[in-house]
Amino acid sequence: MFNSGADPSAQTNARSADLFRANEARSRELADKIEVADYQKEIRDKLKRKFDTYDFHSTRNQYDEAQGERLQLLEQRIFELSNSLVDISTLFACCSDFFVWDFNLLLLYAARTNDAARINMFWRSFLYRLVPLDVDDDRIRRVLNDKRATLDVDQESQCCDAFGDYENWMQKLRHEVVELGKRLEADRNQTHFPLVVIVEELEDIVAALRLVRHDCFPLDYVSTMLRELKIAYGLLVEAYFQIWSTRGHDNFNADSLAGSISALLLNWISDAARQPDQQNDDKRFCIQAVRSQQMSTWLTHLRAHVGVAARHMGSDSRREISERTGRNLDKINEELRRLDMISSTEYSRR
């Protein structure tokens, strides 16, 4: 029989598919608008809290002209955000004007914008706003000031604790990093949660603290913080060794970084040995690293550094960190033997 046209059911299916895709696109667009509107409310509330820190009515005349103009701009921004929905570009400008770096990052994420230079700068500015300026040690003060010199750090909101009194400000920094990481889906989004940059800066901050208060931080402080975000051990180890390979071993935090890596490897291997699930990615990749000799290469680098450090001991803090690193390497050997026995037994059961 002569076929006068296309199959009507196929045309109907095609129209249905087109309609489904169009509805899906509209749903995503609506969800994005709702998300940005929620960000607007949070940004407005954050700016309002900043505004409320000023004794505005009694001290308006005490500010110089530039400060007065800035207060007026802040007041204007709060009014705009309170009375109408604005677009994402306006929100971004509000955040940039008043150093609200966490929401700059969230807006870039919402807009699916991949601008590595800006993302890295926002993260560094966000972190160092939470680090105190009051540092007694001249060397550490120079290191931190050199970092801040390349950033836009809000002096008005700068942490005012003493650097060595780390309990409050370091707890806040940890909380802020983890909460922002959750919102940026850090476990699967290294575009807006640039792992190498974040690890590098956090380890520098911790290394400075270890020089001032060498008894205060466990070697896995930063890696356990990031593990709260469910970031895979393998990704963390790769980030740490990328930093290790590019920065050299003679900078101020080399001993601290070696200690942190040893603690990260120890935790990874120990968790893999305890993990009963053979399909667990962390365990599977750990066993692969051992069998491919990659783990052996990493450990060789660490042992070489500890050996050199032992011959050139300086401060008590360096000595203690190197000793703790050495003890971790010994424990790693024990855990590797345990993991090998477990994985061999499991393999024989298959």
Side-chain angles (χ1 to χ4, degrees):
M1 181 181 292
F2 178 72
N3 187 354
S4 61
D7 182 355
S9 64
Q11 292 179 333
T12 300
N13 290 339
R15 284 195 297 271
S16 297
D18 289 341
L19 182 61
F20 176 79
R21 283 192 291 270
N23 287 337
E24 192 175 49
R26 281 194 291 270
S27 295
R28 281 198 304 270
E29 182 181 359
L30 179 60
D32 288 344
K33 287 181 178 179
I34 292 172
E35 182 180 32
V36 172
D38 288 339
Y39 287 155
Q40 176 172 330
K41 181 180 182 300
E42 290 185 78
I43 293 164
R44 184 217 45 204
D45 291 345
K46 198 160 192 173
L47 294 182
K48 192 172 186 307
R49 287 194 296 273
K50 180 187 284 284
F51 184 81
D52 289 342
T53 62
Y54 297 98
D55 187 2
F56 193 77
H57 298 290
S58 64
T59 60
R60 182 190 292 268
N61 296 327
Q62 296 179 20
Y63 295 111
D64 61 30
E65 184 176 352
Q67 290 171 321
E69 290 176 355
R70 185 163 178 78
L71 280 173
Q72 288 180 351
L73 176 61
L74 178 57
E75 191 173 25
Q76 177 186 334
R77 290 297 199 193
I78 293 169
F79 180 82
E80 290 172 2
L81 298 181
S82 299
N83 288 279
S84 63
L85 288 175
V86 302
D87 60 31
I88 198 167
S89 297
T90 303
L91 282 179
F92 197 86
C94 289
C95 293
S96 297
D97 284 343
F98 295 99
F99 311 106
V100 189
W101 305 126
D102 47 348
F103 279 95
N104 273 132
L105 288 162
L106 288 166
L107 290 170
L108 287 175
Y109 182 42
R112 300 173 180 83
T113 301
N114 180 4
D115 185 338
R118 279 205 296 183
I119 289 168
N120 293 347
M121 189 275 286
F122 290 151
W123 262 107
R124 289 185 170 111
S125 298
F126 171 72
L127 292 173
Y128 283 97
R129 179 180 62 81
L130 299 168
V131 178
L133 292 168
D134 183 6
V135 184
D136 292 332
D137 187 284
D138 289 339
R139 185 185 180 193
I140 294 172
R141 187 187 307 111
R142 285 195 300 271
V143 169
L144 296 178
N145 286 344
D146 286 347
K147 286 180 176 292
R148 287 191 181 92
T150 63
L151 304 172
D152 287 326
V153 178
D154 180 8
Q155 299 296 332
E156 294 170 354
S157 300
Q158 181 72 51
C159 175
C160 58
D161 294 332
F163 184 78
D165 297 332
Y166 63 88
E167 288 88 353
N168 290 331
W169 69 264
M170 199 63 185
Q171 183 178 2
K172 181 179 180 182
L173 184 148
R174 182 179 187 125
H175 173 77
E176 297 263 356
V177 169
V178 170
E179 290 306 306
L180 181 55
K182 288 176 181 176
R183 299 185 74 173
L184 293 171
E185 298 182 293
D187 58 324
R188 54 192 179 92
N189 172 28
Q190 288 197 50
T191 299
H192 300 92
F193 193 89
L195 190 57
V196 172
V197 171
I198 294 166
V199 167
E200 184 172 25
E201 298 304 338
L202 288 174
E203 284 292 348
D204 278 356
I205 293 167
V206 169
L209 270 170
R210 285 175 181 150
L211 290 175
V212 176
R213 298 280 301 274
H214 61 270
D215 60 335
C216 67
F217 277 97
L219 293 178
D220 62 354
Y221 186 86
V222 173
S223 59
T224 54
M225 178 196 312
L226 298 174
R227 283 287 294 165
E228 288 183 43
L229 296 168
K230 304 187 186 307
I231 297 173
Y233 274 117
L235 290 177
L236 283 171
V237 172
E238 287 176 3
Y240 270 90
F241 274 101
Q242 183 176 331
I243 297 165
W244 179 263
S245 63
T246 57
R247 292 188 60 169
H249 308 153
D250 57 351
N251 56 75
F252 88 99
N253 76 337
D255 297 325
S256 180
L257 186 62
S260 296
I261 295 172
S262 73
L264 171 59
L265 292 177
L266 177 59
N267 287 344
W268 187 15
I269 297 165
S270 299
D271 285 357
R274 288 193 298 266
Q275 174 57 250
D277 182 5
Q278 293 308 297
Q279 302 306 313
N280 177 272
D281 285 341
D282 281 327
K283 179 169 185 173
R284 188 157 48 85
F285 290 134
C286 183
I287 293 173
Q288 287 177 5
V290 173
R291 290 178 176 168
S292 68
Q293 299 300 308
Q294 181 62 69
M295 186 71 72
S296 177
T297 300
W298 291 331
L299 294 173
T300 298
H301 287 312
L302 290 178
R303 289 191 186 97
H305 177 81
V306 171
V308 171
R311 295 192 296 271
H312 300 87
M313 281 300 174
S315 65
D316 290 341
S317 61
R318 288 192 63 186
R319 183 178 299 105
E320 180 182 348
I321 290 170
S322 290
E323 290 173 353
R324 290 161 70 190
T325 304
R327 289 195 294 272
N328 277 350
L329 293 175
D330 292 338
K331 292 177 184 176
I332 285 173
N333 287 335
E334 295 173 9
E335 290 296 322
L336 281 173
R337 285 192 290 271
R338 181 166 164 248
L339 178 64
D340 183 58
M341 290 174 59
I342 292 171
S343 59
S344 298
T345 302
E346 291 167 347
Y347 181 79
S348 66
R349 290 174 180 167
R350 294 177 185 176

